[in-house]
Amino acid sequence: MRNLPVDRDPKLLVGVETSDDAAVYLINEDLALVQTLDFFTPVVDDAYVFGQIAAANSLSDVYAMGGDPLLALNIVCFPEDLPPESIDGILRGGQDKIREAGALLVGGHTVEDKEPKYGLSVTGLVHPKDVKKNSSAKVGDILVLTKPLGIGILNTGIKAQIVSEAGYLAAIETMMQLNDVAKDAMVAAKANACTDITGFGFLGHAYEMAAGSDLTLYIDVKSVPIFPEALELADQGIVPAGTYKNLDHISCHLAGADEISPALLDCLVDPQTSGGLLIAVPEENLPLLIQGLEDNPTGYAIVGRVAEKEKKSIVLI
Ligand code: CO
Ligand code: CO
């Protein structure tokens, strides 16, 4: 959208400028609308699992803004020769996940395409005071991550059939998991900023938070949760192409990358599907956030802190 003029409106609380997770539009002083869309090609063979993953991923952008999903529309592309039970499985997976989120599936659109694709457009609601931008972190905030990294690498390994059964199950369980618990926790703890970790990888989305907030993020790499099997695969050079693209994109904003192993760095920029939330919370509210994350099915970890702006937007320590 770089070549398009930017639409502005006083009621548009979050637009396209800060690469945030979703648009937010003020309805009245107690209510704002959250609007987002996402869809992609299958990441796993199981149609029902893929439907759940794609829906959880689309719903996540509403949670990342602090909102609650309300309505969802299917976006479906499929080849003529795709068996009807596959399409059925994808759509059922999507609907079950939408229901789990407490939202309603109210329609959608289907086109024929060479490669199957599925996702949702989601409308959510949020109290204007609870909107969590990705660009409003404050100096001194503590950074918390709510899902382990390495999903993209595991998915690459799964396609090559070199991932263990346990690794496969961990990957799909993580991708299918809604970010609802994490969202409730970070809203209750009055987080200053939040984004979800998806295609640009952990450091890519952390960079957007740093640049948008005009601050520097210190990342304690040893505390970042990573699937052990993903680290092993990265060590063998089995990483998706997107990993290198992501690293290219942010390497000039990164300090300390030379101090860590290439495999660890790969995991930090690995494109995630339906990843966790990266939350910047005031230090005094950290106990409240942790209390809310105790029951989070995908866990949580304190991964860094927010500092005054330095030459580099991200410092790995
Ligand atoms: Co997002
Ligand atoms: Co998104």
Side-chain angles (χ1 to χ4, degrees):
M1 288 175 65
R2 199 173 299 144
N3 298 322
L4 296 181
V6 175
D7 283 329
R8 289 193 176 87
D9 187 298
K11 289 188 168 182
L12 186 62
L13 304 182
V14 180
V16 297
E17 283 125 314
T18 48
S19 313
D20 216 321
D21 301 292
V24 182
Y25 184 86
L26 187 69
I27 303 288
N28 60 43
E29 60 180 16
D30 297 317
L31 197 64
L33 203 67
V34 184
Q35 190 71 58
T36 185
L37 178 158
D38 211 338
F39 67 121
F40 47 69
T41 55
V43 288
V44 289
D45 288 338
D46 186 315
Y48 181 65
V49 169
F50 169 57
Q52 291 182 72
I53 292 169
N57 180 73
S58 300
L59 291 157
S60 175
D61 278 326
V62 175
Y63 292 129
M65 300 313 294
D68 291 306
L70 180 70
L71 302 174
L73 298 169
N74 280 334
I75 304 149
V76 192
C77 306
F78 67 90
E80 222 177 339
D81 57 359
L82 193 73
E85 57 269 26
S86 292
I87 301 162
D88 191 59
I90 293 170
L91 298 186
R92 270 192 306 112
Q95 182 174 37
D96 283 354
K97 204 40 80 173
I98 293 162
R99 286 178 169 173
E100 188 185 325
L104 302 171
L105 177 63
V106 292
H109 189 70
T110 305
V111 292
E112 219 181 281
D113 195 355
K114 280 202 275 297
E115 215 177 349
K117 300 175 188 77
Y118 174 66
L120 303 173
S121 173
V122 188
T123 302
L125 297 177
V126 63
H127 192 286
K129 284 201 186 85
D130 291 336
V131 174
K132 303 302 174 193
K133 299 184 189 181
N134 66 348
S135 57
S136 45
K138 302 276 181 293
V139 172
D141 281 355
I142 304 297
L143 297 169
V144 174
L145 179 65
T146 67
K147 282 186 186 180
L149 303 178
I151 287 290
I153 292 168
L154 286 179
N155 284 341
T156 303
I158 288 165
K159 284 195 181 107
Q161 297 180 316
I162 49 172
V163 169
S164 71
E165 181 70 14
Y168 169 76
L169 290 174
I172 64 167
E173 288 296 334
T174 302
M175 288 187 282
M176 289 191 294
Q177 183 60 52
L178 291 174
N179 282 326
D180 53 349
V181 173
K183 171 260 170 191
D184 285 345
M186 66 104 175
V187 169
K190 300 201 182 316
N192 281 326
C194 178
T195 192
D196 61 346
I197 307 302
T198 52
F200 298 137
F202 172 63
L203 293 183
H205 292 280
Y207 168 69
E208 283 177 340
M209 185 178 280
S213 309
D214 208 25
L215 297 168
T216 284
L217 268 49
Y218 274 73
I219 305 296
D220 178 11
V221 291
K222 287 183 303 301
S223 63
V224 178
I226 295 169
F227 288 108
E229 206 165 337
L231 206 50
E232 285 167 28
L233 289 170
D235 207 33
Q236 298 161 36
I238 295 154
V239 297
T243 302
Y244 299 117
K245 239 196 326 200
N246 285 346
L247 185 57
D248 247 22
H249 193 70
I250 56 144
S251 55
C252 60
H253 307 292
L254 202 55
D258 300 342
E259 316 289 320
I260 67 172
S261 78
L264 179 53
L265 188 58
D266 285 346
C267 291
L268 295 177
V269 294
D270 178 41
Q272 304 298 282
T273 300
S274 189
L277 300 184
L278 173 62
I279 302 163
V281 67
E283 189 165 12
E284 64 269 27
N285 298 353
L286 182 64
L288 189 58
L289 178 65
I290 286 174
Q291 193 189 319
L293 289 174
E294 246 150 43
D295 298 326
N296 188 37
T298 51
Y300 71 89
I302 297 164
V303 296
R305 64 187 171 83
V306 182
E308 296 282 1
K309 188 183 165 86
E310 296 177 15
K311 223 162 85 194
K312 302 288 184 181
S313 297
I314 305 274
V315 180
L316 304 180
I317 54 169

